[in-house]
Amino acid sequence: MKSFLVLVSIVLFCRVPVTAQCLSPDEREKLFERIVQNTVSREAWSPYKLDQTQYISKAEKLRTAFRDADTDQKLARALLKLSNLRNDRHLTISQVIGGLNYKDDKVQSLLKFTPDFSENTHSFFVSDKDVSSTLTRSVTLGDELIAVNGIEIEKYLKMLKPNLSFSTNNGLRWQASKALGKRYDLFDPPLYDGNTVTYTLRSASGKVYDQRLPYSGKPKRWTNIGKPTFPKFDQVLQQKNFDLYATNCPEKVLLINWLDLNNKYLDEDLNALLSFANREGYLNSKIIFFAPFSGGGSGAPKVVQVLSDRPFKTTFGNLKISDASLDFAKTRSTKIKTWIDDANKANRDYTSNEPFKLRYFGRGSDGIMQPSPLYFTGQKVGVFSSKGGSNLDQLMAMIVDNDIMPTIGYPTGGFSNTWEYYEDLSCPKDHSMLLRYGWSIGHTIRPNGEVLEGNPAQPDEVIHLTKENFTTYWDGLVNRALEILEVGICDNCKVVKIKNVGFGDYLHQTVENNVISHETSSGWKLIFVNKSTKDNDVVLIQSIGNGKNLDYDFEPDRVDFSANQDFDQQWEMIPVESSRFLFKNMETGRYLNATKSGRIRGADRKKLDQQWDITCY
C-alpha cells in the first residue's frame, strides 16, 4: 500500500509540467503555426493598427520561444506574448480544466504609478504609496520613475510591453503604469528581482535616489490622493451605473459620474436619473457628463439617448467571415445567424455594416436614434480619459461624431469591436487541452464611418495629466467643464437652509420690513469672501428673499440687515462637523445665536444652540 502511495505521489508531482513536456519542440512549433494561420484568417484587422503582414513578421520572432517552451509556464508565457502582438485590450489567455498548469498570480509593491502625459517619451511618477509602511516615508508623491531594478525606464518598458494587452499608445501607458507597481508570475522573469523591487526615483528638486521595496499580498493603506472629490457638488443619487451630483449655485448644474454601462440595470438607472431631474427641475440644467472611470457594457446608445436633444446616428458593426464567425453564428439569434450566412453565401470577406449587433435596429436601417421621451435639453460637456474603452469607446464616438456636446480630457482606450471568439487550444498530437485563446472577429464602425478599434474619438480639448497636477487633475477637469459651461465659480456661492441645532428653527428673513422670523422656507446664499487666518471660510450671509446681508449693527446684540457689503457683515464659518458650523462675526467677534425665545442675537459662548446645520438645496 505504501509503495502505491509513493507511485501516486510521483505521478501527481510530474503532472505540473507534463503537458508542455509531452509536446516535442516540433509539435510546439506546429501549435505556433496553427495559431498564426488561424489569426490571419479570423482576426478583423483594423486599418489603424498593425495588419496581418506586420503581425506575421512579429509572430515569427516568437517561433523559437515556442520551441523552447518545455514547461507549462514557459508555453503559457509564449502564448500570452503571441496574443498580445495584436495590440487588443479585449484579448487575453485563460486557464481551462485539464489544461496547462501555470501560475498567473500578481502581487503589489508599496508604490503605485501613473503616466505623465505631457512628456513625448513614456514617463511615469509615484501617484500613491502604502503609508502603513515605514519604507515609503522617504518617497514623495509625484517623484519621477527613472529605472526599475537598475534598468532605465524606456528599456524596461520595451521589455514589459510584450506582456501587456492594449489597443492604443495611451492605453499602453495606463497598462504599463499599473504593471510597474506589481510582479506578475506570467510575465518575463528578467523583469523582476525576486520578492523585492528597486525603484530609481527623481524628486522635484532633481535629487535621484534608490528605494528598495518588497512585493506583498498584505492589505495596504493607500493615500488615495488625487481621486475626484467633486467639492462644488452635493451627491443626490447613487445607482449601479452612476453617481449623481448637483448644485444650484449660481444656477442648476448636474454632474453625472458615469461608472459602468451594464445594460441589466440601465433602464432602471436612467429612469431614476430622469425622474430626479424632472422632479427637482434639472432637465433644462447644464450637465457635466464625467466618465473617465467608466467600465464597458452594452447600453451606450440608451445613455446618449437621454443626453441628446436631437436624433443621432448610432455605431455600426460587421463580422469577418471565417470558420470562427461561422461557428460563432451557431450560438446566436436567427437574425445574427442569417446576417453572417448571407455574407458567407455571397463569398464576402465581411458581412455588411449594420447597426451595432442589430441590438436596437434591423438590417438595412440607417441607425438613427431619436431622443428619449424625457431628455436633458441644457448645455453639456463630456469628460473622458483613456483608462476605459469598449462600449465606452462607442459612447464617446456617438457624442463626438454627432456633435452632441464638447468633450475634454483624453480619447477613450480604443478597443471596441463587435465580438470576440474564444477557443480552447489543444495539442496537435493528442488534442489534450492547453488554454483558452481569443480573436476579435468584427469591427465597430463609428457614426463617421471609420473603424473604431485603435481609432477612438478625439476630445475637443486635450488636457494632460502630469506629475505636477495629478493631485487635482480630475477635479480640474470638472473646473474646466464649468468654465466651458460659463457657470462661474460654483464653490463661491451656495444656496442653503440654515437650521439652528438647539431649537430646530430656520434662520429666515421676510421681505417685509426686514423682520426676522423662524420658518422652514428660509433660504440664504453663502457668498465666500476669502479664508481667515484659521483657514476657515469667510462668508456673507445674504437673504434670497430681498438680497440683503445679515449684519450686526453697532448696538449691542442687535441683528440687522444691510445692502452694504462692509467688513462687519462678514462671518467666519467655523466647522463643528461635516455640515455643522458656528457663525462668528468678524467685526464684533460674537457668535450668531438663537435664544429659547426664538430671538436671534450675538453671544460669546459656544453652546449647542449656537450651532447651525447647513443644508444645500
Side-chain angles (χ1 to χ4, degrees):
M1 182 68 178
K2 182 177 180 180
S3 60
F4 174 75
L5 291 176
V6 171
L7 178 61
V8 170
S9 299
I10 293 172
V11 171
L12 290 176
F13 177 78
C14 291
R15 174 65 185 90
V16 175
V18 70
T19 305
Q21 287 185 346
C22 286
L23 286 170
S24 68
D26 288 344
E27 288 164 343
R28 290 194 293 269
E29 189 170 5
K30 288 180 181 178
L31 172 67
F32 164 80
E33 291 173 346
R34 187 178 73 189
I35 295 172
V36 171
Q37 182 181 2
N38 282 342
T39 300
V40 169
S41 65
R42 294 173 177 178
E43 192 77 17
W45 302 98
S46 168
Y48 300 96
K49 301 196 303 184
L50 81 171
D51 58 25
Q52 62 186 41
T53 301
Q54 294 169 317
Y55 164 77
I56 293 172
S57 175
K58 289 177 178 289
E60 189 60 36
K61 298 176 183 178
L62 290 174
R63 184 184 292 269
T64 301
F66 271 77
R67 290 189 62 86
D68 295 344
D70 57 356
T71 68
D72 285 19
Q73 194 74 21
K74 289 180 182 178
L75 184 55
R77 191 170 288 129
L79 286 162
L80 173 70
K81 290 181 180 178
L82 187 60
S83 177
N84 288 344
L85 278 182
R86 294 163 293 176
N87 296 345
D88 192 324
R89 183 73 184 92
H90 266 132
L91 301 180
T92 185
I93 63 170
S94 58
Q95 292 175 306
V96 295
I97 296 175
L100 294 177
N101 187 355
Y102 61 91
K103 291 182 68 178
D104 191 19
D105 297 329
K106 57 185 77 70
V107 286
Q108 176 74 48
S109 77
L110 305 184
L111 299 180
K112 290 183 179 181
F113 297 90
T114 292
D116 187 326
F117 283 92
S118 66
E119 304 288 342
N120 291 327
T121 57
H122 294 101
S123 178
F124 305 89
F125 59 88
V126 180
S127 56
D128 211 340
K129 63 181 182 179
D130 180 7
V131 293
S132 65
S133 172
T134 59
L135 298 174
T136 63
R137 287 180 180 175
S138 60
V139 178
T140 301
L141 300 186
D143 284 359
E144 183 180 0
L145 181 62
I146 302 299
V148 181
N149 295 330
I151 304 171
E152 183 267 335
I153 189 62
E154 280 290 350
K155 183 177 179 181
Y156 190 86
L157 183 61
K158 188 175 181 180
M159 296 168 57
L160 180 63
K161 185 177 177 181
N163 302 275
L164 303 174
S165 62
F166 57 91
S167 296
T168 63
N169 187 51
N170 289 336
L172 167 62
R173 293 186 184 200
W174 281 114
Q175 293 304 308
S177 68
K178 185 190 301 183
L180 287 168
K182 296 181 179 180
R183 186 192 68 203
Y184 295 75
D185 286 334
L186 195 53
F187 287 11
D188 283 329
L191 289 166
Y192 306 109
D193 184 18
N195 291 323
T196 61
V197 57
T198 301
Y199 296 118
T200 302
L201 302 165
R202 180 162 54 208
S203 68
S205 65
K207 178 185 175 182
V208 175
Y209 64 98
D210 287 338
Q211 187 70 41
R212 190 170 181 82
L213 299 170
Y215 290 110
S216 170
K218 295 180 180 179
K220 297 170 179 62
R221 185 154 57 91
W222 303 107
T223 68
N224 291 320
I225 291 174
K227 288 191 173 182
T229 60
F230 312 125
K232 302 171 183 179
F233 293 83
D234 300 301
Q235 186 168 354
V236 294
L237 190 63
Q238 186 175 30
Q239 298 294 126
K240 292 182 175 65
N241 282 294
F242 68 86
D243 292 333
L244 185 65
Y245 297 79
T247 182
N248 61 1
C249 179
E251 57 184 298
K252 288 181 179 292
V253 182
L254 280 184
L255 187 152
I256 310 173
N257 181 23
W258 204 268
L259 302 173
D260 206 359
L261 287 162
N262 188 328
N263 207 28
K264 181 178 179 180
Y265 308 105
L266 199 56
D267 289 339
E268 173 187 339
D269 287 357
L270 290 175
N271 285 337
L273 172 64
L274 293 171
S275 295
F276 171 86
N278 190 37
R279 182 176 66 251
E280 302 297 331
Y282 281 94
L283 280 178
N284 299 322
S285 71
K286 296 180 178 180
I287 304 290
I288 298 175
F289 185 77
F290 188 86
F293 307 106
S294 177
S298 58
K302 293 181 181 179
V303 179
V304 179
Q305 197 176 26
V306 305
L307 296 173
S308 181
D309 59 1
R310 59 186 182 278
F312 62 95
K313 188 173 183 178
T314 57
T315 49
F316 277 53
N318 61 31
L319 278 162
K320 185 176 183 178
I321 302 302
S322 70
D323 66 318
S325 58
L326 295 177
D327 183 61
F328 172 83
K330 297 174 183 178
T331 64
R332 313 309 296 183
S333 64
T334 300
K335 62 181 179 181
I336 298 295
K337 186 178 184 301
T338 302
W339 176 38
I340 297 171
D341 287 345
D342 287 350
N344 183 45
K345 292 174 183 176
N347 200 29
R348 297 182 56 178
D349 292 332
Y350 283 84
T351 65
S352 57
N353 294 340
E354 301 293 347
F356 192 75
K357 293 186 177 181
L358 301 178
R359 180 173 285 129
Y360 301 104
F361 301 93
R363 287 173 64 182
S365 170
D366 60 7
I368 301 296
M369 184 170 282
Q370 301 295 320
S372 67
L374 208 59
Y375 58 87
F376 292 100
T377 61
Q379 186 182 358
K380 307 170 189 72
V381 175
V383 182
F384 294 91
S385 78
S386 302
K387 291 175 72 70
S390 194
N391 202 228
L392 183 66
D393 285 319
Q394 297 187 48
L395 191 149
M396 185 176 182
M398 282 184 272
I399 286 174
V400 171
D401 292 349
N402 289 283
D403 197 24
I404 291 172
M405 68 180 78
T407 53
I408 62 174
Y410 261 83
T412 47
F415 50 95
S416 176
N417 56 29
T418 44
W419 280 287
E420 300 91 49
Y421 174 83
Y422 280 92
E423 177 183 284
D424 291 347
L425 297 182
S426 60
C427 299
K429 183 179 180 180
D430 62 5
H431 303 295
S432 58
M433 288 293 100
L434 296 174
L435 50 69
R436 186 157 295 162
Y437 196 92
W439 291 265
S440 284
I441 58 174
H443 296 135
T444 299
I445 309 299
R446 289 172 50 175
N448 67 1
E450 298 173 355
V451 171
L452 198 158
E453 190 183 347
N455 177 40
Q458 299 298 306
D460 296 291
E461 183 179 341
V462 173
I463 301 177
H464 293 306
L465 169 63
T466 72
K467 56 182 173 290
E468 287 80 19
N469 71 8
F470 81 98
T471 60
T472 59
Y473 176 74
W474 305 108
D475 285 332
L477 291 178
V478 174
N479 289 338
R480 177 59 186 142
L482 289 169
E483 289 177 0
I484 294 171
L485 293 172
E486 297 181 338
V487 170
I489 306 176
C490 217
D491 59 357
N492 278 358
C493 175
K494 277 196 172 182
V495 177
V496 298
K497 291 181 178 179
I498 303 178
K499 184 177 183 180
N500 187 276
V501 174
F503 306 106
D505 291 322
Y506 288 88
L507 179 63
H508 181 66
Q509 178 190 5
T510 59
V511 177
E512 297 82 13
N513 303 319
N514 292 341
V515 175
I516 300 173
S517 62
H518 296 287
E519 297 178 12
T520 57
S521 60
S522 57
W524 297 86
K525 184 182 291 186
L526 298 183
I527 303 174
F528 290 76
V529 179
N530 53 37
K531 295 282 187 178
S532 73
T533 54
K534 296 181 180 179
D535 201 33
N536 299 319
D537 287 318
V538 176
V539 297
L540 299 174
I541 304 177
Q542 186 180 90
S543 170
I544 298 300
N546 59 17
K548 292 189 175 183
N549 301 302
L550 183 65
D551 186 26
Y552 274 116
D553 204 340
F554 289 106
E555 299 177 22
D557 292 345
R558 181 185 170 198
V559 179
D560 203 348
F561 297 92
S562 171
N564 299 318
Q565 295 185 354
D566 296 329
F567 180 76
D568 64 346
Q569 297 169 316
Q570 298 183 13
W571 299 80
E572 185 177 11
M573 284 179 64
I574 303 173
V576 179
E577 295 177 8
S578 59
S579 62
R580 184 169 294 176
F581 299 88
L582 298 171
F583 286 104
K584 182 178 181 180
N585 190 278
M586 297 292 288
E587 174 70 7
T588 66
R590 296 194 172 193
Y591 294 90
L592 184 63
N593 188 22
T595 63
K596 292 182 180 179
S597 64
R599 177 168 166 268
I600 299 175
R601 64 180 180 84
D604 292 324
R605 299 179 305 277
K606 297 183 182 179
K607 293 184 178 179
L608 177 65
D609 62 352
Q610 296 170 316
Q611 296 181 21
W612 302 82
D613 274 333
I614 305 300
T615 305
C616 300
Y617 73 101

